[in-house]
Amino acid sequence: MTESARENEAADDREAPGTEGNRGRPDASGERATATFEVPEMDCPSCAGKVESALDGAAGVDDVDPRVASGTLTVAYDAAETDVAAIGDRIERAGYGVADVDVRSATLSVPGMDCASCAGKVESALDRAAGIRRFETSPTTGRVRVDYGPEASREDLVAAIESAGYEVTNEADDAGGNEHGDDADAESDAGSVWTSTRGIKTWISGGFLTLGLLFEFFLAGANVRVASVLGAELLLADVLFLVAVASGGQVILRDGYYSARNRNLDIDFLMSAAIVGALLASLAFGEALYFEAATLAFLFNVAELLESYAMDRARDSLSELMDLSPDEATVKRGGEEVTLPVEDVERGDVVVVRPGEKIPMDGAVVEGESAVNQAPITGESVPVDKTVGDEVFAGTINEGGYLEVEVTSTAGEDTLSRIVEMVAEAESKKTEREQFVERFSSYYTPVVVAFAILTTLGTPFVLGVTWPTAVVYGLTLLVLACPCAFVISTPVSVVSGITSAAKNGVLIKGGTHLEAMGAVDAVAFDKTGTLTTGELTVTDVVPLNGNSEADVLRCARGLEARSEHPVGEAIVAAAGEAGVDGDDTAEIESFEALTGKGVRADLGGTPHVAGKPGLFEELGFDLSHVHATTDGGVVTRTAKQLCERSDCLDLLETTVPELQSQGKTVILVGKPESGSDAESGTEGGELEGVIAVADEVRPEAERAVARLRDLGVSKTVMLTGDNERTARAIAERVGVDEYRAELLPEEKVAAIESLVAEHERDGAPGGVAMVGDGINDAPALATATVGVAMGAAGTDTALETADVALMADDLSKLPYLYELAADANGVIRQNIWASLGIKALLAVGVPFGYVPIWLAVLAGDAGMTLGVTGNAMRLSRVSPDE
């Protein structure tokens, strides 16, 4: 299956990614050929073995060469016996998608496809259509994503779906219409369900059913004989019931016809069989079952309308996200203000945003200042002040002032569009529970249908009931045979949870991650930028060996000017604020970043190094015997106190520990002796100074950690590359259970692996969530059960790499995410067991006469569908703690 397209595009036709493979190349004989297929999911030897087995013995296939590293498969074949399409089909039947440069993708809106039964008919129709490579149906959003080859067209896709009895609309936001086939309404208002064509026919059917009941039970004297059919009398009530069947059963029988044509044993087919069966039994046994047929027609239509209404509620949650962005923008062009559709706005254009208006595109403020409500993107409850140079996002609201914004992304590429797209993609990905439910339902329906036949044929002999009563029992079981409520119990909960999270500034990339987050036992935090603000500042400068503070900052600035590390950026900023001359930075040569340790470079031809104390120990610097500078330059309070105690400093015993105990990161600056190298073992050098850098702990960090513990997280861990003392100080302040310090990136990965092994042992539920910045911590985030990126708004890398993205730098959203995920898991379990349990209970009661047919329709179908949807909607009430 492929990913969903943007939710606000009706039909997205574009080239799918591929390679120059998939082209058969005949040899000189014209018969022998080779083809290279791109099989991205073939990523292990086991996968390669399955693909080879699928092609082993296939007609015309001579040789198969799978290459796991590149995800490609080269096949030598006889072109007279097989072709590329046949080989590709075999690969896909083995469960592996094949990328094809000739494949196009389309996302179609099918509003009437609002249940698993509907999706089954559409899938059956697409299965038979030529040229379709793969497809994905999403009843919760009413959309179908199809990949198709050059032998098919978009018109063919539409024709195939319409052959299943469902209308394809032109607008993606038509997801509000819900009726089948020609009865689909184009309106998206949920209220239109009750006044739609199907709704009107349902109410007419109900009216005639009511009249029939009136004559059957209350006006028996007026219930006269009207006609005779095959020797069976038709009373007035019977005629009224038949009219009710005709008006209400039309849609059901038409959908049942499409189900039969597509060989789909779904609720439409089963209900059609039940209605027709009741009518035929009335003629066969001479005992009127017209009331039962009319009841089925009316109540099933009511059930479908209720299901449509409930599904609208789920779909509306995503539509609300789509509606956040305005359709038009006021743009300054040629000295004038013109109003344009957002699709026509280009990068570099300046848009005008007046008070109360929504910002139409991502961009940077070039004029004005205002408070901007960023809740639609980040979930922040308090507006954020914006001034010239600040970044703003599409869909956010200008609260008060006048702003001019230079556009930095086109329509469809802005942060809001990416969020909507990713939410849509997340909703289309099936969780393990969904896959289990689908597998189970494929057995459930045939078993219950068999039970219905057995009940019909057996109860007259076993329980002594009449044949008409046995037929009613069988018809009632047919009503219970469709597992619609059971099948939608998980996806509707996932939709509700993911869209609710998105509205609160938490982007969850799939139902699997939602489920996994609710089951984690341990949460690991990066320190910088996660538990702390990540905005480092220089707090102390201790000049040594006759250097001044300016000398130390100048040297450090030269070394760190090319570094992208936050510590280096803080030092460069501090040097700039102190007005330190930066001429030396132009003479940097031989720059080298020592991962996890520091940096080295030649400044003006002289080798220099800056980094952790451990690096200087490796280089052989004598850290126990250095002299503090007491005159010249600006001497910090720390330096004065140290110098008063002793003319000679022991950095390892006094200076470094004291600074680190305050939660500060210590950087040493010095000149190694010529040839000194930590790798080679040569030693020596002169220290020039000590720089301490501090990072403020987030004010919400301590409460977030405590709240996670209250919600059931058994362990919280801080992982950092910082030194032991600094790590201990931060860990004690925020209250994590343990910390691991001085970790290199690969050691963070190892730490996560050990935590995962500890909390997922023996396949038990659990797991580890890793919270980091989404860029520097990418390997650790990928290793964890769930990777959570902080502050992802406007950050492409974080949005793409994380399983979950907290759009704002707000750690308080983490307990909300955990609570929402845990509640979602609970709701999913409740929905699955309730829908299955009630169906089973009703089915067992049918042969004993405890379950009338109307109860089976209302409780077993409509009631359960409405119940699981309503239960799932409760997730929208989970909100972050303020």
Side-chain angles (χ1 to χ4, degrees):
M1 300 299 178
T2 57
E3 297 179 340
S4 299
R6 287 185 64 237
E7 192 63 31
N8 58 348
E9 291 179 0
D12 176 19
D13 292 324
R14 62 184 184 276
E15 293 294 337
T19 67
E20 291 304 314
N22 281 9
R23 305 294 191 190
R25 297 191 303 277
D27 65 7
S29 68
E31 298 294 333
R32 299 274 303 161
T34 59
T36 301
F37 299 83
E38 184 181 357
V39 189
E41 297 167 350
M42 186 184 67
D43 54 7
C44 66
S46 174
C47 300
K50 280 189 245 181
V51 173
E52 284 188 80
S53 297
L55 294 174
D56 186 33
V61 175
D62 298 324
D63 184 58
V64 180
D65 180 17
R67 299 179 183 180
V68 173
S70 60
T72 59
L73 180 76
T74 301
V75 180
Y77 64 97
D78 187 342
E81 295 185 41
T82 189
D83 56 25
V84 169
I87 296 171
D89 183 64
R90 275 187 168 269
I91 297 170
E92 291 185 343
R93 277 188 284 165
Y96 296 87
V98 179
D100 188 337
V101 293
D102 289 330
V103 170
R104 298 177 67 82
S105 299
T107 300
L108 306 174
S109 179
V110 187
M113 187 188 67
D114 55 10
C115 66
S117 170
C118 306
K121 283 203 282 289
V122 171
E123 289 171 0
S124 295
L126 290 172
D127 263 334
R128 296 195 310 273
I132 293 178
R133 300 290 191 266
R134 61 186 65 85
F135 53 80
E136 181 177 288
T137 57
S138 176
T140 52
T141 57
R143 301 174 69 80
V144 180
R145 172 66 181 264
V146 185
D147 290 352
Y148 58 100
E151 62 271 36
S153 66
R154 186 178 183 278
E155 289 71 25
D156 295 330
L157 311 184
V158 173
I161 294 172
E162 289 181 344
S163 73
Y166 296 89
E167 181 184 11
V168 177
T169 63
N170 292 325
E171 296 299 328
D173 58 3
D174 277 348
N178 292 285
E179 276 43 81
H180 295 264
D182 297 331
D183 292 315
D185 270 348
E187 300 175 42
S188 62
D189 181 10
S192 68
V193 168
W194 310 111
T195 56
S196 64
T197 304
R198 184 170 195 166
I200 293 171
K201 290 178 180 179
T202 299
W203 310 136
I204 293 173
S205 175
F208 281 103
L209 175 62
T210 303
L211 286 174
L213 288 171
L214 185 64
F215 281 100
E216 179 84 17
F217 298 105
F218 299 102
L219 300 174
N223 190 22
V224 297
R225 178 173 177 268
V226 176
S228 177
V229 179
L230 298 178
E233 290 187 347
L234 279 180
L235 302 179
L236 177 59
D238 297 332
V239 173
L240 292 171
F241 291 145
L242 285 171
V243 175
V245 171
S247 56
Q250 175 191 352
V251 176
I252 301 171
L253 293 176
R254 188 203 62 234
D255 291 337
Y257 160 74
Y258 283 117
S259 298
R261 196 172 78 173
N262 288 289
R263 298 186 292 278
N264 225 51
L265 192 64
D266 62 6
I267 188 63
D268 293 316
F269 176 81
L270 295 171
M271 288 301 301
S272 298
I275 292 171
V276 172
L279 297 177
L280 293 177
S282 300
L283 298 175
F285 298 110
E287 183 170 334
L289 297 178
Y290 305 118
F291 165 68
E292 284 77 5
T295 301
L296 283 174
F298 172 68
L299 292 182
F300 179 66
N301 275 320
V302 172
E304 288 293 279
L305 293 174
L306 285 170
E307 183 175 305
S308 296
Y309 177 75
M311 193 57 65
D312 270 348
R313 295 284 305 276
R315 291 176 179 177
D316 284 347
S317 60
L318 183 58
S319 298
E320 289 172 9
L321 283 177
M322 295 163 53
D323 292 340
L324 290 174
S325 184
D327 298 324
E328 296 180 332
T330 303
V331 183
K332 297 182 72 173
R333 285 185 179 174
E336 297 180 354
E337 294 184 4
V338 294
T339 302
L340 299 173
V342 291
E343 292 81 6
D344 296 338
V345 179
E346 302 173 354
R347 284 190 183 89
D349 279 341
V350 174
V351 298
V352 174
V353 188
R354 293 182 170 82
E357 293 182 347
K358 291 181 180 178
I359 295 172
M361 314 286 286
D362 283 4
V365 177
V366 293
E367 185 176 328
E369 57 183 39
S370 178
V372 174
N373 180 357
Q374 296 192 146
I377 301 296
T378 64
E380 294 168 288
S381 57
V382 179
V384 178
D385 291 332
K386 299 289 183 179
T387 187
V388 174
D390 288 339
E391 185 179 21
V392 293
F393 308 113
T396 56
I397 304 165
N398 180 15
E399 294 282 346
Y402 170 89
L403 293 176
E404 290 186 5
V405 177
E406 182 177 344
V407 175
T408 57
S409 65
T410 58
E413 297 178 354
D414 55 77
T415 301
L416 178 61
S417 296
R418 293 202 304 274
I419 291 172
V420 171
E421 180 180 353
M422 289 178 179
V423 169
E425 291 170 0
E427 292 175 352
S428 69
K429 296 174 181 175
K430 290 182 171 62
T431 67
E432 291 184 7
R433 281 195 179 100
E434 284 182 87
Q435 294 172 28
F436 161 75
V437 165
E438 289 187 357
R439 289 194 301 270
F440 181 86
S441 64
S442 66
Y443 296 101
Y444 169 85
T445 298
V447 167
V448 177
V449 169
F451 184 44
I453 296 172
L454 184 63
T455 298
T456 303
L457 299 177
T459 50
F461 303 102
V462 177
L463 301 178
V465 301
T466 63
W467 281 104
T469 301
V471 170
V472 172
Y473 289 169
L475 298 179
T476 305
L477 286 169
L478 286 182
V479 172
L480 296 172
C482 186
C484 277
F486 178 59
V487 171
I488 72 166
S489 59
T490 298
V492 76
S493 303
V494 169
V495 168
S496 179
I498 289 176
T499 52
S500 175
K503 293 174 191 174
N504 286 290
V506 179
L507 179 60
I508 303 172
K509 303 286 281 296
T512 299
H513 307 310
L514 179 68
E515 287 186 359
M517 187 65 204
V520 299
D521 287 330
V523 178
F525 298 89
D526 174 50
K527 179 180 76 71
T528 304
T530 303
L531 292 174
T532 64
T533 62
E535 298 176 1
L536 302 177
T537 56
V538 173
T539 58
D540 300 270
V541 179
V542 181
L544 303 172
N545 294 318
N547 292 288
S548 67
E549 180 177 343
D551 293 333
V552 177
L553 286 174
R554 181 179 296 109
C555 180
R557 174 179 179 172
L559 287 166
E560 300 286 3
R562 296 186 182 180
S563 172
E564 296 180 355
H565 195 281
V567 171
E569 293 174 355
I571 291 173
V572 172
E577 292 172 4
V580 172
D581 185 2
D583 290 345
D584 287 350
T585 63
E587 302 175 17
I588 302 172
E589 296 177 350
S590 303
F591 175 83
E592 180 183 3
L594 306 174
T595 304
K597 298 178 180 180
V599 295
R600 72 168 79 205
D602 291 346
L603 301 181
T606 302
H608 284 75
V609 63
K612 296 180 178 180
L615 172 62
F616 281 75
E617 288 186 278
E618 292 179 25
L619 293 172
F621 281 81
D622 184 1
L623 304 184
S624 63
H625 188 81
V626 297
H627 294 277
T629 301
T630 56
D631 58 357
V634 179
V635 181
T636 65
R637 182 187 312 163
T638 301
K640 289 180 179 178
Q641 292 171 346
L642 293 171
C643 292
E644 288 172 359
R645 292 200 296 264
S646 172
D647 293 332
C648 179
L649 302 180
D650 185 338
L651 296 184
L652 294 180
E653 293 295 328
T654 57
T655 311
V656 172
E658 184 173 335
L659 292 171
Q660 290 177 342
S661 66
Q662 299 168 17
K664 299 174 182 178
T665 298
V666 176
I667 300 297
L668 304 184
V669 182
K671 292 184 289 187
E673 288 184 355
S674 178
S676 291
D677 193 314
E679 301 297 329
S680 65
T682 55
E683 303 177 343
E686 176 187 331
L687 282 168
E688 297 173 281
V690 179
I691 298 176
V693 178
D695 183 7
E696 289 296 321
V697 173
R698 291 184 183 276
E700 72 273 16
E702 183 177 357
R703 184 181 178 189
V705 171
R707 178 66 177 146
L708 284 172
R709 189 177 293 109
D710 293 341
L711 290 171
V713 173
S714 62
K715 178 183 286 188
T716 52
V717 183
M718 183 182 77
L719 306 178
T720 179
D722 219 330
N723 63 82
E724 178 79 15
R725 292 186 184 89
T726 301
R728 183 189 304 117
I730 299 297
E732 290 175 352
R733 182 168 173 183
V734 300
V736 294
D737 297 318
E738 65 179 70
Y739 65 90
R740 303 184 188 184
E742 300 181 6
L743 299 179
L744 297 174
E746 59 269 22
E747 292 173 330
K748 281 189 179 182
V749 172
I752 291 294
E753 288 175 342
S754 68
L755 287 170
V756 169
E758 176 184 345
H759 292 276
E760 288 187 343
R761 60 167 61 98
D762 300 325
V768 177
M770 170 67 189
V771 189
D773 61 16
I775 301 174
N776 297 331
D777 297 308
L781 291 172
T783 305
T785 311
V786 182
V788 182
M790 288 282 293
T795 306
D796 291 340
T797 304
L799 281 175
E800 295 297 332
T801 59
D803 299 324
V804 178
L806 307 183
M807 303 306 291
D809 278 334
D810 186 358
L811 203 58
S812 67
K813 295 295 177 65
L814 189 63
Y816 158 73
L817 167 64
Y818 182 77
E819 182 179 11
L820 175 70
D823 287 354
N825 283 346
V827 165
I828 290 171
R829 286 192 295 269
Q830 293 163 13
N831 282 350
I832 288 176
W833 290 113
S835 57
L836 189 60
I838 289 177
K839 286 257 190 182
L841 187 63
L842 291 172
V844 170
V846 168
F848 301 99
Y850 297 135
V851 181
I853 200 165
W854 61 265
L855 181 61
V857 175
L858 286 183
D861 188 65
M864 281 314 307
T865 298
L866 197 61
V868 298
T869 305
N871 194 34
M873 291 299 104
R874 291 192 302 111
L875 294 174
S876 63
R877 296 203 295 266
V878 181
S879 59
D881 294 331
E882 296 297 337

